[in-house]
Amino acid sequence: MFTGIVEEVGKVVGMNRGTKSVKLTVAASLIFSDLGIGDSVSTNGVCLTVTHISANTFTADVAHESLNRSNLGALKLQSSVNLERAMSACGRFGGHIVSGHIDGSGVIQAVKADDIAIWYTIATSSSIMTYIVEKGSITIDGISLTVATVTDKTFSVSVIPHTASQTTLRDRKVGDTVNLETDIVGKYIEKLMYPPQETASTAKLSMEKIAQYGF
């Protein structure tokens, strides 16, 4: 589990592409103090397992599913990536519950300065927008942020200078693709309310029938 508090920005120094996978090598510095083989590292919000460590680099395999749902496949040599080690049991919970299992991607529609803050407006699919609520939590490329506004097809976040400067957001521009993970709590609530054989729409019809006929 992660918190969405990025520890540092790393650099991609190796990409060994397979047929439907990528062996990714990233250079960093801060995360190596207690990093070991088999540990998890959130890389642009995607939970990756460390398979090799050498000097100031780590290597991880990115499977087909992760490539399909994320922007990792579009990375190039020297691309910047947000990095966070898995949360320790004695660590501070500074962000929110982040699994590193992203839901999909979004595209930046606007970047606008607002005094010291920077507003990022992002468009994404309706299936992801369902779980995005105003003042709720969202993970963008592994960064824990608060949703400021929501429309049918977009949402916006207001980012303070420190967060922008210490993450890849400092380089993001209109048209860039970002990884998104919605708040997992909402997904569990939905699953409990609507079992697999029932959807939100069928549940609504059932409730309307109960109200109409009394059964």
Side-chain angles (χ1 to χ4, degrees):
M1 188 182 79
F2 307 95
T3 68
I5 304 301
V6 173
E7 294 186 81
E8 66 174 314
V9 175
K11 290 285 186 182
V12 175
V13 294
M15 294 194 73
N16 185 1
R17 296 184 181 275
T19 304
K20 294 182 178 180
S21 62
V22 173
K23 189 177 292 292
L24 187 68
T25 301
V26 178
S29 56
L30 299 179
I31 66 170
F32 291 102
S33 61
D34 63 352
L35 192 68
I37 303 299
D39 286 352
S40 297
V41 177
S42 171
T43 307
N44 270 6
V46 182
C47 178
L48 297 180
T49 300
V50 176
T51 59
H52 181 74
I53 297 175
S54 178
N56 65 334
T57 69
F58 75 89
T59 299
D61 293 315
V62 186
H64 190 201
E65 166 70 4
S66 296
L67 292 177
N68 280 344
R69 287 183 179 263
S70 74
N71 60 16
L72 295 189
L75 293 175
K76 302 176 182 178
L77 293 179
Q78 296 305 306
S79 288
S80 298
V81 289
N82 295 320
L83 302 175
E84 180 193 354
R85 287 168 291 184
M87 180 184 178
S88 64
C90 61
R92 290 183 181 276
F93 204 153
H96 71 283
I97 298 173
V98 178
S99 69
H101 306 151
I102 68 168
D103 297 296
S105 60
V107 178
I108 296 178
Q109 302 293 300
V111 180
K112 182 181 179 181
D114 180 17
D115 194 14
I116 65 167
I118 304 173
W119 283 78
Y120 294 84
T121 299
I122 298 169
T124 189
S125 65
S126 59
S127 61
I128 294 178
M129 287 299 304
T130 297
Y131 302 102
I132 300 177
V133 298
E134 187 172 320
K135 301 308 176 185
S137 297
I138 185 74
T139 309
I140 301 176
D141 275 349
I143 309 163
S144 174
L145 295 167
T146 300
V147 178
T149 63
V150 180
T151 69
D152 290 342
K153 298 180 179 179
T154 68
F155 69 93
S156 299
V157 294
S158 179
V159 180
I160 62 173
H162 175 79
T163 301
S165 66
Q166 298 300 309
T167 67
T168 57
L169 282 178
R170 65 195 180 201
D171 302 318
R172 291 304 191 191
K173 58 186 183 301
V174 172
D176 283 351
T177 299
V178 291
N179 297 326
L180 302 175
E181 181 188 333
T182 57
D183 191 344
I184 195 170
V185 174
K187 299 172 193 173
Y188 279 119
I189 292 173
E190 181 186 53
K191 184 68 176 290
L192 291 171
M193 290 181 64
Y194 308 122
Q197 69 275 16
E198 184 178 48
T199 64
S201 58
T202 59
K204 180 180 179 182
L205 289 173
S206 298
M207 293 302 293
E208 290 175 347
K209 189 173 181 180
I210 291 172
Q212 182 178 0
Y213 300 105
F215 63 84

